[in-house]
Amino acid sequence: MARFIARRLLQLIPILLGLSVLLFAWLRALPGGPAQAALGERATPEAIARYNELFGLDEPLIVQYFRFLGRAVRLDFGTSARTGRPVTTEFLERMPGTVELSICAMIFAIGVGIPLGYLAARKHGSWLDSTSVIGSLLGVAIPVFFLAYLLRLLFAVELGWLPGSGRQDVRIDATRITNFYVLDGILTREWDAAWDALQHLILPAIALGTIPLAIIVRITRASVLDVVNEDYVRTANAKGLANSTVRRRHIIRSALLPVSTTIGLQTGLLLSGAVLTETVFAFGGVGLALYDALFARDFAVLQGFILLLAVVYVLVNLLVDISYGYLDPRVRVR
């Protein structure tokens, strides 16, 4: 297992290097360039020339790239053109919001998806099975932003049951410790702040968790159907074991192996920035920051946030591989 982990860690190096090259080239190809974005209305040809000379943007691209790479290793991505704050500081302040939203979305997807997929497999060919399959197809097909707008219109605007924007009511004077608003409310025993933050999470979490929910339902259903027909399940039934024992020890445990991999990969995708969902609900996470930076042509934020999110996604995938290796005895033996 140690050799497997070491090999996976070494494979991260060329992936991140390749991503840094693509990201560097893409941002340099955007119209306007960093100088135009930073100077705004003051971007005269003379001011642009002075800016490029000051920050080394007039040097060869290969020199600029290696300078960027050296700063990236030190987690120094410059400062935001909009706020004047370090990009890494902005990311660390925004990331807890996206993590909090992603956790809630995955709790929703797992809590509904696994039981529904299991019941659909156990009732194979019934109306429940057909409904779950159709629902999973619709869940993947409906755009996230469209569902987010529908949820906000119905539950926030028309019914007024839940808040439709933000992470917390601005009138609440909450204490910040970790920037995880629900956790901060619990740690400080400010229950009204924790409850309000949780209410703000419900609608965006449902919108964001719909696609993982649909995928988990389909994977769980297919996995359970495959396991039910295995020889060891038929042998367990022939021995006269109780149905609950067969389901718990043989069917569910084996069927959850591919489901666990799917959950890990979907979590990595959610953590890599729920741009559309956060934009619709004005949820102050990494996704909304990327949206604002794109329209403001804040190249430092775009460059830093995308690369840091890629690192997060790759690390989550690594944890998924390691977890699967411990869960699956076939990988452990090899």
Side-chain angles (χ1 to χ4, degrees):
M1 183 57 68
R3 186 178 301 173
F4 170 76
I5 296 174
R7 185 169 63 250
R8 294 293 295 166
L9 287 173
L10 290 176
Q11 290 174 356
L12 298 182
I13 298 176
I15 293 174
L16 294 177
L17 283 175
L19 178 64
S20 67
V21 172
L22 293 176
L23 181 61
F24 180 85
W26 171 65
L27 289 177
R28 294 304 185 278
L30 290 177
Q36 179 74 36
L39 296 173
E41 297 179 353
R42 299 169 297 170
T44 62
E46 295 79 10
I48 292 176
R50 287 196 301 270
Y51 185 93
N52 289 337
E53 182 179 359
L54 179 62
F55 291 97
L57 298 176
D58 56 346
E59 297 181 358
L61 289 178
I62 188 67
V63 176
Q64 295 184 43
Y65 170 73
F66 279 108
R67 183 175 297 168
F68 157 71
L69 195 62
R71 291 198 306 267
V73 173
R74 301 191 303 271
L75 298 180
D76 178 14
F77 298 97
T79 58
S80 169
R82 293 182 300 118
T83 64
R85 304 176 64 202
V87 173
T88 306
T89 302
E90 293 267 354
F91 181 83
L92 293 177
E93 288 186 0
R94 294 277 195 158
M95 192 61 185
T98 300
V99 172
E100 201 170 44
L101 176 58
S102 300
I103 290 174
C104 290
M106 289 309 300
I107 290 174
F108 165 70
I110 295 170
V112 177
I114 291 180
L116 186 58
Y118 177 78
L119 290 176
R122 297 297 295 174
K123 304 292 184 181
H124 181 58
S126 66
W127 65 270
L128 178 61
D129 184 25
S130 302
T131 303
S132 67
V133 172
I134 295 173
S136 64
L137 293 174
L138 290 175
V140 175
I142 296 177
V144 174
F145 70 90
F146 180 71
L147 179 61
Y149 275 119
L150 289 181
L151 291 173
R152 184 179 180 185
L153 177 64
L154 178 60
F155 293 103
V157 178
E158 297 294 336
L159 298 176
W161 291 353
L162 294 167
S165 63
R167 292 186 62 191
Q168 198 171 57
D169 194 327
V170 295
R171 294 169 295 182
I172 295 179
D173 186 18
T175 305
R176 298 282 177 258
I177 299 176
T178 64
N179 256 1
F180 292 92
Y181 286 7
V182 177
L183 179 61
D184 287 345
I186 295 174
L187 292 176
T188 59
R189 298 187 178 181
E190 297 174 351
W191 307 115
D192 58 335
W195 174 243
D196 185 75
L198 186 60
Q199 286 181 309
H200 279 78
L201 282 167
I202 293 175
L203 290 181
I206 292 175
L208 185 61
T210 301
I211 291 180
L213 167 64
I215 295 174
I216 289 172
V217 168
R218 298 187 66 182
I219 296 297
T220 304
R221 175 182 175 274
S223 182
V224 171
L225 288 176
D226 288 340
V227 172
V228 165
N229 296 321
E230 292 290 341
D231 292 338
Y232 59 85
V233 175
R234 288 197 292 265
T235 302
N237 287 322
K239 288 181 177 180
L241 294 178
N243 289 332
S244 59
T245 303
V246 175
R247 287 197 299 267
R248 184 177 65 256
R249 293 184 179 179
H250 299 285
I251 297 178
I252 296 178
R253 183 179 297 180
S254 300
L256 285 181
L257 284 174
V259 177
S260 63
T261 304
T262 303
I263 291 172
L265 295 177
Q266 291 299 313
T267 303
L269 289 173
L270 296 184
L271 286 175
S272 62
V275 178
L276 295 177
T277 304
E278 292 185 6
T279 302
V280 172
F281 290 99
F283 195 88
V286 173
L288 183 61
L290 281 172
Y291 175 84
D292 294 336
L294 182 61
F295 280 90
R297 290 189 295 182
D298 194 343
F299 292 97
V301 170
L302 287 172
Q303 193 168 250
F305 273 40
I306 293 175
L307 192 58
L308 288 171
L309 286 172
V311 172
V312 171
Y313 179 73
V314 169
L315 290 177
V316 170
N317 279 315
L318 175 63
L319 291 176
V320 171
D321 291 341
I322 295 173
S323 302
Y324 190 86
Y326 279 107
L327 291 173
D328 193 339
R330 296 170 296 181
V331 177
R332 289 202 303 269
V333 170
R334 284 199 293 268

